[in-house]
Amino acid sequence: MSSYTDEELIDLGLGGTLRRTMAKAPPGPLRTMDLAALAGIEPAPVRFIVQGLLPAAETTLLTAPGGGNKTTLSLMLGVAMAARLENVLGMAIEPGPAAYVGMEDSEQRLHWTLHHICAGLGVSMLDLAGRLHVVSMRQVMHNGLARFDHDGELEPSDLYHQCERLIEQTGSKLLVLDNLAHLFLGNENDRMQATRFLAATNKLASDTDAAILLLAHTPKSGADFSGSTGWQNATRSHASIEKEEGGDPEVRVLKVSKGNYVKPGEVTRFRWFDHYLVRPDDLPPDVAATLAEASRATAANEAFLRCLAAVTEQGRAASDGRGPTYAPRMFARMPEAKGFDDEDLAGAMERLLHLGVIRANEVIGKYANRTARRGLKRVEQGAQSTAQSTAQSSAQSSAQDAQSPSGEVHNESARSTPPPTGEIGGDYGPPSIPLGGEGRDASWVPGDD
């Protein structure tokens, strides 16, 4: 905020006043670069905390849809740095302390995720003590990272200063802020506010020499970011997590969408597996084949249901009988099939019938003569969700059974503690969603992480 040497209060009547500035203190001079001194110095290249992805002393905006594995990826980066690993998911990293400040997940959930990441990377959680600093803000009332006052001026919040102290006291080279929706309390469509907020995070990065990784959701429209173009324009480093085009539907591709220091493009690719992330090429062939088969089956199921919804909307019938309305043959010609042929769709139909997601010979309408039109019909949402959960658990169990003999993927000896169960206390008390003494089922799948 600007300071003023004198002010005048004007009485407007009815108890109102207007503050009018009489004189404004002159600002100090702008700081200019000493080009004469710089002329004899060789410029240093940009230092990366994660090669090709996270430049030091900069804010990197990482965007992905809900469930795109932003949280898991960022925690894996922090664990790998704190564990002094040389690379993670094929990316070279600079070892060192790291910090994570999360707004959405409880301590219980973060413990669960860290436990499985440590097991997947083959490190002990005990070795991370004093080097990885994880904060859950789920149960803490806060005012974001900064707020805008009535004059539109940005004011850093207590959390901003707490993050600054956290970096300085721990020497963290990386600070993950998860996520933008909780930290930015302004109007995301206001370019000025978006730009000033990112200027604040960049100042925090510059002042501490840490790389800041700011996580954000993409909108339902499929755009790379939500709100004003200020989010894209004000950041010098923007990465995104996207689905693999034309390949395994469960594989995600990490890309640099905008990089002032590196050429945009693919950085690495990974898939979610047993509560952590792994590169497809690092999986043993038997596990990779099992997971790919399950992923393709799931994608074929989804394509079948899209086609069924389309023909139902059009007032047409599709059946399981091999006649003119045989669903797999009809659907294979539809754009909603996304390249699956009639054999793929026939397999999907049988799976969906077996799971109870669809039923045959159901009344789906009436002909002009008022006789019933019968065909395949999707069941109500409740039964459908149960069936899909069963299918998902079955696919995961198959993959786990195939994976178990291979210690190359999941180093069981690295587990420093038993799988977390029950309530875990911490700086902010017990987690807000206690799981009870039984813990999570092995087939549990994360939601928006």
Side-chain angles (χ1 to χ4, degrees):
M1 296 288 291
S2 300
S3 59
Y4 300 97
T5 58
D6 197 9
E7 293 178 323
E8 179 184 21
L9 292 178
I10 302 174
D11 186 6
L12 298 179
L14 301 177
T17 58
L18 173 67
R19 187 181 302 273
R20 185 170 68 187
T21 301
M22 301 298 293
K24 181 178 179 180
L30 291 172
R31 179 181 178 274
T32 60
M33 296 174 62
D34 187 347
L35 299 185
L38 293 174
I41 302 175
E42 185 70 20
V46 174
R47 188 174 112 253
F48 279 84
I49 301 301
V50 178
Q51 190 60 40
L53 181 67
L54 299 182
E58 285 282 354
T59 297
T60 295
L61 182 65
L62 175 62
T63 57
N69 303 125
K70 300 181 294 298
T71 297
T72 305
L73 174 63
S74 63
L75 285 171
M76 281 189 69
L77 294 175
V79 168
M81 288 178 60
R84 302 178 177 86
L85 302 183
E86 295 181 354
N87 66 80
V88 61
L89 295 173
M91 300 178 290
I93 59 177
E94 181 177 302
Y100 168 93
V101 178
M103 303 291 124
E104 295 183 335
D105 291 322
S106 65
E107 291 183 354
Q108 170 74 42
R109 170 65 182 274
L110 291 171
H111 180 203
W112 178 271
T113 303
L114 287 169
H115 175 86
H116 286 84
I117 288 174
C118 287
L121 294 180
V123 302
S124 169
M125 193 181 299
L126 184 61
D127 294 337
L128 306 180
R131 293 182 59 82
L132 180 63
H133 310 276
V134 180
V135 178
S136 170
M137 295 289 292
R138 176 166 175 153
Q139 295 173 265
V140 180
M141 298 298 292
H142 62 87
N143 293 317
L145 205 63
R147 70 178 187 86
F148 294 91
D149 64 16
H150 295 298
D151 297 324
E153 296 287 344
L154 182 142
E155 295 182 351
S157 69
D158 290 343
L159 181 58
Y160 180 97
H161 298 296
Q162 288 173 324
C163 287
E164 185 175 35
R165 288 198 297 272
L166 177 64
I167 298 172
E168 293 172 346
Q169 292 171 359
T170 63
S172 292
K173 297 182 178 181
L174 169 67
L175 171 65
V176 178
L177 297 174
D178 186 8
N179 62 51
L180 181 63
H182 294 267
L183 297 166
F184 175 71
L185 305 184
N187 179 2
E188 67 175 7
N189 294 306
D190 187 319
R191 181 178 299 181
M192 180 274 291
Q193 290 192 0
T195 301
R196 298 196 71 177
F197 180 84
L198 286 175
T201 62
N202 279 329
K203 183 179 187 306
L204 178 61
S206 296
D207 289 346
T208 60
D209 198 37
I212 293 181
L213 183 58
L214 178 60
L215 310 189
H217 297 299
T218 54
K220 291 182 179 179
S221 65
D224 285 340
F225 55 89
S226 180
S228 165
T229 54
W231 296 110
Q232 174 80 342
N233 296 335
T235 181
R236 291 293 178 264
S237 179
H238 175 208
S240 59
I241 300 175
E242 304 170 13
K243 287 188 176 182
E244 182 183 47
E245 292 293 335
D248 188 333
E250 297 302 318
V251 170
R252 299 292 182 265
V253 181
L254 177 62
K255 296 180 178 179
V256 170
S257 302
K258 176 185 176 182
N260 284 41
Y261 313 112
V262 293
K263 182 178 179 180
E266 180 178 323
V267 178
T268 189
R269 56 186 55 210
F270 54 81
R271 64 174 298 140
W272 188 92
F273 178 71
D274 195 24
H275 307 280
Y276 71 105
L277 306 177
V278 61
R279 291 193 302 175
D281 292 344
D282 291 338
L283 288 168
D286 56 338
V287 180
T290 300
L291 291 173
E293 181 181 354
S295 296
R296 183 167 178 79
T298 300
N301 292 353
E302 293 171 351
F304 188 96
L305 293 174
R306 284 195 302 269
C307 293
L308 180 59
V311 298
T312 301
E313 179 70 21
Q314 296 161 5
R316 296 193 290 163
S319 71
D320 62 329
R322 291 184 176 274
T325 59
Y326 182 53
R329 190 181 303 115
M330 288 177 59
F331 293 173
R333 299 190 295 268
M334 297 174 61
E336 289 85 356
K338 297 288 183 70
F340 286 102
D341 58 24
D342 54 354
E343 184 176 348
D344 295 323
L345 295 169
M349 181 178 68
E350 293 302 324
R351 285 190 297 271
L352 294 170
L353 284 168
H354 174 72
L355 294 168
V357 177
I358 60 175
R359 293 194 184 117
N361 200 31
E362 292 286 307
V363 176
I364 59 173
K366 292 186 178 181
Y367 293 103
N369 62 3
R370 303 182 65 83
T371 58
R373 179 191 291 116
R374 293 182 174 273
L376 292 169
K377 184 178 181 180
R378 189 169 182 172
V379 302
E380 296 301 322
Q381 189 67 32
Q384 166 196 322
S385 299
T386 301
Q388 287 176 331
S389 298
T390 304
Q392 194 173 51
S393 298
S394 177
Q396 289 177 350
S397 297
S398 297
Q400 293 297 338
D401 290 343
Q403 174 266 330
S404 295
S406 176
E408 298 172 351
V409 181
H410 193 100
N411 183 0
E412 288 294 334
S413 63
R415 294 182 182 271
S416 56
T417 59
T421 59
E423 298 185 4
I424 297 178
D427 294 339
Y428 310 115
S432 57
I433 304 182
L435 302 180
E438 75 282 354
R440 290 194 188 273
D441 184 80
S443 63
W444 173 79
V445 176
D448 189 11
D449 62 351

